[in-house]
Structures are given as C-alpha cells and as structure tokens.
Amino acid sequence: MLKVYGTKICRDCIACEASFKKYGIGYEFVNIFATMPDFKEFLRLRDASPAFAHA
C-alpha cells in the first residue's frame, strides 16, 4: 500500500488523492499538518531522500 504525505489544502495532494480514489488504488494519507509527529516523520523522510535534493 502507498503512503502519501501531504495536506488537505494542497491542490496537488487533493488531485493525487482523488486519482487514487477514482482508480481504486489503496493508499494511506498522512496529513502532515494534523500532528507534530506526522510533520516530523515527513521531514525525516524528506531530509534523507535524494528525490528532494532540488527542493
């Protein structure tokens, strides 16, 4: 199952979630603004991933 980190106010996150629902793709959505631990988990992943090097 996919784990998606995002927010409920981000247009890209909203579109991503809608696409997953439309095509029946299983996912877990982690709202990074919901709790501080969720935000810190996202930051740890972001800081360790070369995919975010350009950001």
Side-chain angles (χ1 to χ4, degrees):
M1 180 178 297
L2 296 171
K3 191 171 195 177
V4 179
Y5 294 84
T7 70
K8 297 295 186 175
I9 60 172
C10 169
R11 290 186 302 209
D12 294 330
C13 297
I14 293 166
C16 178
E17 195 170 15
S19 292
F20 287 166
K21 287 178 181 177
K22 178 179 178 180
Y23 294 106
I25 299 170
Y27 68 97
E28 175 187 353
F29 187 87
V30 179
N31 183 350
I32 64 171
F33 289 163
T35 68
M36 187 57 72
D38 288 341
F39 185 60
K40 287 182 178 182
E41 180 180 351
F42 166 73
L43 291 177
R44 278 192 301 278
L45 291 170
R46 183 203 64 184
D47 292 347
S49 175
F52 291 98
H54 70 283

